[in-house]
Amino acid sequence: MSQGVLPDQFADLEAFVADWSLAEERARNQKRLSSSMEELRTFYDAIFPRMEAILEYLRQFPLDTMPEEVRRLILLTLSLAEIAPAVEFFGQPGVIDGFESTRFVPGHEPRFSSVAGRRKHHGTWQQ
Amino acid sequence: MGIQTNGTNGKSWAQTYPELGTGPVPIEPCISPEYHTLERERIFKQVWLNVGRVEEIPKAGDYLVKNIAAGEASVLIVRGQDGTIRAFHNMCSHRGNKVVWDGDGTCRGVFACKFHGWSYNTEGRLIFVPDEDQFFDLDKTAHGLTPVAVDTWEGFIFINLAPQPKETLTEYLGELGEQLRGFPFGRYTTRKTYQTEAKVSWKVAADAFQEGYHVAFIHARSLPSYGPKENPLVHLPWVKLYRNHRRFSVDGNPKPKPTPIQTLVHKLGRSFDTMLSASTDDLPPYLNPGKVPNWSFDINVIFPNFFVDVLDGMYFTYHFWPLAVDRTLWEFRQYFPPATTVEQRFGQEYSKCLFRDALLEDLSTLEETQQALATRAKTHFLLQDNEVCIRHGHKVVEEYVGFYSGGGA
């Protein structure tokens, strides 16, 4: 079992873990909004070419139980999902002339956990 | 200049629904506190209101609390030990405290008031009063929680705050309720939700989601290849107006231009942006009722404040809860089939973020509009033929309120 921050074959992305392996949508959105476009593009350019390989690799893991380094990798992909509209559409971190996203309060977010177990009202209702 | 044909029947929407007229629509109902007081009394305290889905309270003892400002009520919705869903006013019979303070949870068959321990079971019966002997001829059987009418349609829980609702939920939903039956709401159990409180009339907010005219402007960046080339300003290809409710379709782009991320996400299954593109699949009867070419999705507006938008592969809902004449609690919920793989969850996360960003564009105009309306520099909205759903919405509200006629439904 790998003891690395990320699975060995994705060690090249480890530099992004501290900033982008964030468990909550709010934290990922905040990170997007507090980053420069250069920072967003650097992360996008590093992870996007690896996505096919990452998704292929992740196929072997069940949804809710996985080693910690795999969980960090998944959270990196969710940050890519978060920043994609900024990079591909807006050309700036936030929505242009948009309603403030901090006032737009998310709830009921699926959680990725490296241990079994779930809390009521998080994730899917039914298994 | 004549109004062009819209839809498929060779007429404009104004010709299809001549009773709505074509004149300007007054702004006053969106800024008048008197009008809003009447809306509370004559709409929100009278009609069926959606408060959630059965999957939110799957087990005996699971409950929800909905504080409905426009109905001046706090409502406790609970699944009883017998599996039946019941609703009650969330108010203790003793001295009126709210019995349940949190928004949702599970009780072990009993709700105990924090104030003096009066306890009710999940059927609303008063089962225990501490120091009962000190009361005077207290008949516990007569002092249960006050029931609220509740019923379900396709897994959606509706309540009605009227002591004696004028019609059943089935009657209230009418033809729309029949036509949407069969959509697999119960299978799309992964939900992603947001809420926000905006300084805007609930009607101004709802109106922003009842036309496609705004798409080319407000969503020029987030949805750049929206709609077919022949319909750049998103004329509505199909509209059905009922007594209170309405249903309409929008068409999508048969040749969308996906971004790199979208191309990746498309390999994982249907995503929000593919669902907004034209669907070429054979569709079940509850989708695309007008058999619109390049169909994308249907918007179902259940009066007064509940939208159920159905796509081929997901659905989403909006609730516009008035807090005051110029304040609205807006709830947004996206429902997907449960992801079975991690990569599907990545795809859903992209769909969610793109949709959220598009909604941040939608919401951007609301507070600015409300501020401008309040100046009374203008007295009327000017609506075009493809804003017919907004025209219908204001007309139905006025039929209930009777502000201009002095009557009301």
Side-chain angles (χ1 to χ4, degrees):
Chain A
M1 184 61 73
S2 163
Q3 295 299 309
V5 174
L6 289 175
D8 289 345
Q9 57 270 55
F10 303 110
D12 55 307
L13 298 172
E14 283 182 4
F16 298 99
V17 167
D19 282 341
W20 293 105
S21 282
L22 302 169
E24 304 273 345
E25 176 187 344
R26 273 210 112 151
R28 295 190 291 269
N29 185 250
Q30 277 306 302
K31 179 62 190 165
R32 164 179 158 184
L33 296 179
S34 63
S35 298
S36 68
M37 271 320 284
E38 192 185 345
E39 288 165 330
L40 296 184
R41 286 211 177 88
T42 301
F43 175 50
Y44 180 99
D45 289 344
I47 191 171
F48 181 72
R50 307 299 313 279
M51 279 303 290
E52 297 262 13
I54 291 172
L55 294 175
E56 164 98 42
Y57 172 78
L58 291 176
R59 236 165 257 161
Q60 65 185 293
F61 297 98
L63 259 183
D64 288 310
T65 312
M66 63 205 67
E68 186 59 26
E69 67 274 14
V70 175
R71 178 176 172 271
R72 291 192 198 100
L73 182 65
I74 292 171
L75 294 176
L76 278 187
T77 70
L78 300 189
S79 280
L80 174 66
E82 171 64 50
I83 69 161
V87 173
E88 295 186 339
F89 290 127
F90 301 118
Q92 66 173 42
V95 175
I96 296 171
D97 292 334
F99 191 79
E100 262 176 78
S101 71
T102 51
R103 293 177 58 192
F104 211 61
V105 183
H108 298 276
E109 185 172 6
R111 283 165 191 247
F112 286 96
S113 166
S114 56
V115 292
R118 60 176 54 252
R119 286 163 49 191
K120 186 172 183 295
H121 288 303
H122 290 291
T124 56
W125 287 322
Q126 296 161 353
Q127 292 305 299
Chain B
M1 195 169 65
I3 292 175
Q4 70 180 87
T5 295
N6 284 305
T8 51
N9 64 358
K11 297 177 179 175
S12 67
W13 294 122
Q15 289 165 333
T16 305
Y17 297 107
E19 66 279 12
L20 296 180
T22 56
V25 168
I27 287 171
E28 192 64 20
C30 298
I31 54 175
S32 156
E34 294 76 22
Y35 199 96
H36 184 57
T37 300
L38 293 170
E39 288 176 337
R40 288 177 170 223
E41 296 301 322
R42 295 177 180 173
I43 298 175
F44 286 88
K45 292 184 186 177
Q46 304 295 335
V47 306
W48 290 93
L49 302 170
N50 176 258
V51 291
R53 280 201 55 83
V54 294
E55 292 88 353
E56 292 173 73
I57 46 173
K59 300 186 304 297
D62 289 349
Y63 64 85
L64 293 172
V65 172
K66 294 297 283 189
N67 294 311
I68 301 172
E72 291 164 329
S74 175
V75 181
L76 170 64
I77 302 113
V78 59
R79 191 182 287 273
Q81 307 304 312
D82 58 356
T84 302
I85 293 174
R86 296 180 180 83
F88 304 99
H89 284 280
N90 181 20
M91 178 181 184
C92 184
S93 304
H94 175 216
R95 279 166 53 201
N97 183 37
K98 276 188 188 171
V99 177
V100 183
W101 289 7
D102 52 358
D104 57 37
T106 303
C107 78
R108 293 185 182 172
V110 176
F111 296 104
C113 181
K114 291 182 209 297
F115 202 175
H116 304 91
W118 283 40
S119 299
Y120 304 86
N121 69 11
T122 54
E123 293 173 23
R125 286 210 299 273
L126 177 60
I127 55 169
F128 178 65
V129 173
D131 225 357
E132 186 178 346
D133 293 348
Q134 296 294 311
F135 282 88
F136 306 95
D137 304 321
L138 178 67
D139 175 6
K140 290 210 295 294
T141 63
H143 295 287
L145 297 173
T146 302
V148 172
V150 63
D151 201 355
T152 62
W153 165 78
E154 297 295 275
F156 290 99
I157 304 169
F158 287 76
I159 58 110
N160 189 315
L161 292 168
Q164 303 285 334
K166 289 195 185 85
E167 53 194 338
T168 66
L169 177 62
T170 304
E171 290 164 351
Y172 181 72
L173 295 175
E175 208 179 323
L176 184 146
E178 283 305 311
Q179 290 184 347
L180 250 185
R181 225 175 255 286
F183 186 89
F185 295 112
R187 291 215 302 274
Y188 296 167
T189 52
T190 293
R191 69 170 190 171
K192 304 180 182 206
T193 71
Y194 299 89
Q195 68 173 42
T196 195
E197 203 182 301
K199 297 185 190 74
V200 64
S201 152
W202 68 282
K203 296 191 293 295
V204 171
D207 289 353
F209 299 91
Q210 297 194 72
E211 43 86 358
Y213 190 22
H214 70 284
V215 174
F217 306 94
I218 281 286
H219 300 307
R221 294 182 180 94
S222 64
L223 305 172
S225 60
Y226 191 90
K229 203 168 55 184
E230 315 78 66
N231 189 11
L233 292 174
V234 195
H235 293 175
L236 300 182
W238 186 80
V239 176
K240 177 75 180 172
L241 305 179
Y242 305 100
R243 183 189 49 162
N244 297 347
H245 318 300
R246 66 203 72 98
R247 192 172 189 201
F248 59 103
S249 299
V250 288
D251 49 12
N253 190 346
K255 294 176 185 165
K257 300 187 189 83
T259 65
I261 290 281
Q262 288 172 346
T263 303
L264 174 72
V265 167
H266 294 177
K267 294 177 190 165
L268 309 175
R270 295 174 61 72
S271 65
F272 175 61
D273 62 290
T274 43
M275 286 185 265
L276 285 186
S277 306
S279 177
T280 53
D281 301 336
D282 284 335
L283 295 166
Y286 44 77
L287 293 176
N288 193 12
K291 307 268 185 275
V292 169
N294 297 320
W295 176 85
S296 166
F297 69 110
D298 300 322
I299 297 168
N300 300 286
V301 183
I302 297 176
F303 184 78
N305 68 333
F306 180 43
F307 284 44
V308 184
D309 291 19
V310 292
L311 294 80
D312 185 18
M314 71 171 287
Y315 74 99
F316 57 93
T317 64
Y318 306 132
H319 293 82
F320 301 91
W321 295 107
L323 301 175
V325 62
D326 55 0
R327 279 198 306 132
T328 297
L329 173 68
W330 181 77
E331 295 172 340
F332 166 54
R333 299 172 177 180
Q334 301 181 57
Y335 295 82
F336 299 94
T340 55
T341 64
V342 175
E343 54 184 351
Q344 281 174 5
R345 244 188 218 173
F346 164 73
Q348 290 182 354
E349 186 73 12
Y350 175 73
S351 290
K352 182 184 76 170
C353 291
L354 177 62
F355 198 172
R356 178 203 62 205
D357 282 3
L359 288 170
L360 293 173
E361 294 174 329
D362 282 307
L363 267 64
S364 68
T365 65
L366 302 184
E367 293 184 340
E368 307 297 326
T369 298
Q370 189 71 31
Q371 283 176 24
L373 298 181
T375 67
R376 290 190 162 82
K378 294 188 186 298
T379 58
H380 287 76
F381 299 109
L382 303 177
L383 300 180
Q384 59 125 312
D385 199 41
N386 291 286
E387 293 172 308
V388 64
C389 292
I390 296 174
R391 193 181 288 284
H392 181 243
H394 284 252
K395 175 168 175 283
V396 175
V397 168
E398 172 56 20
E399 281 169 1
Y400 274 84
V401 166
F403 182 77
Y404 291 99
S405 67

